[in-house]
Amino acid sequence: MSHCVAIFAHEEERRIEACLANLPLDRTEIDFHVLVNGSSDRTAELAQLSARKRANVHIHDLHPGGKARTWNRFVFDIDKGRHDVIIFMDGDATIKPGSLDALADTLAANPLANAASGMPLNGRNHLTYQAELKRDRGLFGDLYALRGDFLRRMQGRNIRLPEDLIGDDGLIAALAATDLRSDAHWDKERVVPCEDAGFYCEPVNLLTPRTLPLQYRRMINYSIRYFQNRIISDIMQNTGPEGLPERLTDLYPDYLPSFHARRSPGVAWFDFLALRRMTGQASII
């Protein structure tokens, strides 16, 4: 089966060279697409240097940014259904050797599956996350594969990710598990964990001054993602993927009045900040 790799990179000048050095770029039968989205640093320049003029490595400097918007652009405008397997990964990750073939082989061995998930291989809770992926059949945006036929059906029905969606993996896992239908058709066997594929991420060090503001913003985004997922779950339980809007912001006025910060001390403050931001976005619609 022909396959390609889509690498999402936003402000990754520190990590993109290590990411690409870890990939088998010399395998000319595989197309590699580095999707530099909305970056103002040297990510695109360093990716070009790492590519060393390889004909199978393509650098796309895309603006405006946003992972979901970039995901749509790649699927609908760049790849256009040319490959049997598309592997998605993040530009701040490195992958276990053999992961690309393992993901493709997993889909080949499970013809009813739409997606295959790679495993997190480092971090304090990586074993817990591995167990959850195997049990719940979710996806981590750092490394997963989708069947080309699944994406071609998305293209045919014009099912796109909301362009302001934070995090692609939750919705894509739902679309794969339901086979592009409502939640009533959920079948976990359509998302298969691949234990021979995995990724390593840079550990978060809260003692590093650079990391503290980054982690603070990340926690707010996690809270926004939590509330966005509640909207998406309601859509998927009712109209199914045809009901997904171009922008989730358009639906905020309908949902925000019923949303409240969770009581857990670890997330309550970030939920409050997330709801305040979402309310501000809704007020300018």
Side-chain angles (χ1 to χ4, degrees), residues 62-83:
L62 304 173
H63 297 271
K67 189 171 186 182
R69 181 185 289 111
T70 303
W71 193 96
N72 287 337
R73 289 186 68 177
F74 175 73
V75 169
F76 285 84
D77 302 327
I78 297 174
D79 182 68
K80 298 181 180 179
R82 286 194 291 264
H83 294 88

Side-chain angles (χ1 to χ4, degrees), residues 12 59 67 79 113 121 129 169 239 252:
E12 292 294 352
I59 314 300
K67 189 171 186 182
D79 182 68
L121 299 177
Y129 293 141
D169 43 16
T239 59
Y252 285 177

